[in-house]
Amino acid sequence: MDKCALTFCVAAGVAVCAAVFWPRQQNKKAEVADGVAGLIGNTPLVRIASLSEATGCLVLGKAEFLNPGGSSKDRVALYAIEQAAQAGQLRAGGCIFEGTSGSTGISLAMVARAKGFRCHIVMPSDQAIEKSELLQRYGATVERVEPRSIVDAGNYVNVARRRAAESDGGYFVDQFENPLNFDVHYQTTAPEILGQTKGEIDAFVHGSGTGGTLAGVTWFLKQNVPGVRCFLADPQGSGLANRVNHGVLFADSEREGTRRRQQVDSLVEGVGLNRLTRNFKKLLLCGAKKTLLDGAVTVTDADAVRMSRWLMANDGLFVGSSAAINCVAALSIARSLGPGHTVVTILADSGQRHLTKFWNDDAMAKAGHETVAPESLDEFPQLL
């Protein structure tokens, strides 16, 4: 057994052992759900008709936006809070701190309220305002800070870490670096996909924010589905696609000096980075250029906007920016594989959280993006 295979097997064993701590009833919903926690997970797979018919493939979306908090981050929030409480890191009535672009914060605020904890969320000020408003409705303290690089003390993640340290017994979730993020998707999201497809899956594609979903699902599928191919869907301005394809973490916008935002030069919120998180690093096993992923595609803002409008016009699916990026990539991968294959992606978010930005036609038109649904999927480029 070579070094890469041995590393993979050993790490797999660690992940399997960790799984015993996650209540198995999470994988089987009762007829009567036990509060908000009982509504999390076991989301359906939906056949995306327009993409399937155009490619001759079965293109499936894991409808994570149907979690009660509206995203796959509900899984991370529940698992992290329960594990922290069990380990004594979070006391009764204590406060949970996190730096987030929105979705994780909403999930944490919801679970915290259901379980009797307080929540303090720090987020960049350029995120859609409806995310802040929803957090406040859940009773969270919301602190919006100027967008800054992760190396800056004023970065939203660093501010949240500092607030937790300054508090009396506060718990900092640290979603980007917390291995529980990987674990919960390895233990729940991925097995659900395997069961729902009966193991008949040829490709999986997803974007990376923290990297937890992409890494957790990829690890599990690679171990359980022979020949499955896994891909990264990356927004423009992110360096992760280059890291996967060429071994170098670099985005063209860095070189050109035209960067608009501190995190990623994209209107898309929640995915894409120019650094490697602890969760994403789980995909990088052996050497600088080796990864479990089979490739990565970069999706432009323009194509993300157009795909969101296409899905609404043709499938009645009202998705947010990260789900739109995933679907552009899924279309390209399905075309590349050819008819008869099954491609799975994640419908990570709903358009309801993007009404003032991504789903605001005036704002998108001002940014130079077409907001009318394309007449044909042929208008989307082949990315793979």
Side-chain angles (χ1 to χ4, degrees):
M1 180 180 293
D2 63 27
K3 185 177 179 182
C4 285
L6 179 60
T7 302
F8 185 78
C9 291
V10 170
V14 172
V16 170
C17 290
V20 300
F21 295 105
W22 181 244
R24 287 301 177 185
Q25 60 266 32
Q26 292 295 331
N27 294 327
K28 295 181 180 179
K29 281 184 178 173
E31 291 184 9
V32 177
D34 185 12
V36 163
L39 297 172
I40 296 173
N42 290 289
T43 55
L45 271 183
V46 57
R47 174 179 175 268
I48 305 177
S50 68
L51 305 187
S52 297
E53 291 163 6
T55 60
C57 290
L58 184 59
V59 181
L60 304 173
K62 180 83 165 144
E64 287 292 282
F65 65 86
L66 293 180
N67 279 301
S71 77
S72 61
K73 301 300 184 181
D74 286 7
R75 299 176 188 262
V76 180
L78 177 61
Y79 191 42
I81 288 174
E82 289 188 340
Q83 292 301 300
Q86 181 178 318
Q89 297 172 292
L90 184 59
R91 301 192 302 266
C95 189
I96 298 158
F97 293 82
E98 182 60 322
T100 167
S101 61
S103 291
T104 299
I106 292 166
S107 297
L108 287 169
M110 177 189 71
V111 176
R113 175 53 65 102
K115 291 185 172 291
F117 299 110
R118 293 173 291 120
C119 195
H120 185 121
I121 299 299
V122 183
M123 64 190 304
S125 59
D126 61 350
Q127 303 300 287
I129 194 64
E130 54 264 39
K131 295 180 181 180
S132 295
E133 293 173 348
L134 185 54
L135 281 164
Q136 291 168 347
R137 296 299 177 268
Y138 275 120
T141 297
V142 181
E143 184 176 353
R144 291 173 70 95
V145 299
E146 179 184 343
R148 294 183 180 180
S149 168
I150 188 64
V151 299
D152 193 302
N155 173 270
Y156 66 104
V157 175
N158 297 329
V159 172
R161 181 185 291 107
R162 190 162 62 250
R163 296 287 182 263
E166 294 167 350
S167 71
D168 181 16
Y171 173 64
F172 176 50
V173 178
D174 198 14
Q175 60 170 327
F176 291 92
E177 310 301 328
N178 193 333
L180 295 180
N181 192 339
F182 168 93
D183 292 345
V184 72
H185 292 294
Y186 181 93
Q187 297 164 22
T188 66
T189 313
E192 288 172 24
I193 290 172
L194 184 69
Q196 290 166 324
T197 59
K198 297 180 173 59
E200 297 180 1
I201 173 174
D202 298 291
F204 171 73
V205 58
H206 186 43
S208 179
T210 64
T213 307
L214 179 66
V217 174
T218 294
W219 267 78
F220 185 91
L221 292 180
K222 289 283 186 177
Q223 292 165 350
N224 290 279
V225 183
V228 69
R229 303 180 70 191
C230 298
F231 300 88
L232 166 70
D234 212 28
Q236 66 182 56
S238 171
L240 296 179
N242 257 339
R243 181 62 178 81
V244 172
N245 290 333
H246 306 295
V248 179
L249 187 65
F250 180 77
D252 286 341
S253 57
E254 300 279 348
R255 177 179 58 204
E256 294 169 358
T258 58
R259 197 178 194 189
R260 296 190 305 271
R261 300 180 63 234
Q262 289 293 341
Q263 183 178 6
V264 171
D265 190 19
S266 170
L267 62 84
V268 175
E269 298 178 359
V271 293
L273 284 176
N274 283 308
R275 63 186 175 91
L276 297 179
T277 66
R278 181 176 179 182
N279 284 285
F280 191 89
K281 284 179 180 178
K282 287 182 176 290
L283 294 164
L284 310 175
L285 292 176
C286 306
K289 295 187 178 181
K290 292 186 178 180
T291 170
L292 277 180
L293 295 172
D294 295 281
V297 294
T298 296
V299 179
T300 65
D301 286 351
D303 282 338
V305 174
R306 293 196 304 158
M307 178 58 75
S308 68
R309 274 57 175 182
W310 169 272
L311 292 172
M312 171 56 78
N314 293 276
D315 298 277
L317 286 171
F318 185 38
V319 301
S321 55
S322 59
I325 279 182
N326 285 346
C327 288
V328 174
L331 171 64
S332 187
I333 290 164
R335 285 171 171 169
S336 177
L337 293 176
H341 293 87
T342 298
V343 178
V344 176
T345 190
I346 305 288
L347 301 180
D349 54 348
S350 166
Q352 294 177 11
R353 291 189 182 167
H354 301 268
L355 294 174
T356 59
K357 292 187 67 178
F358 187 73
W359 270 99
N360 183 312
D361 286 352
D362 289 339
M364 292 300 95
K366 186 176 181 180
H369 301 308
E370 179 60 59
T371 58
V372 176
E375 294 186 2
S376 167
L377 286 171
D378 291 338
E379 296 184 27
F380 288 92
Q382 179 61 27
L383 302 174
L384 193 67

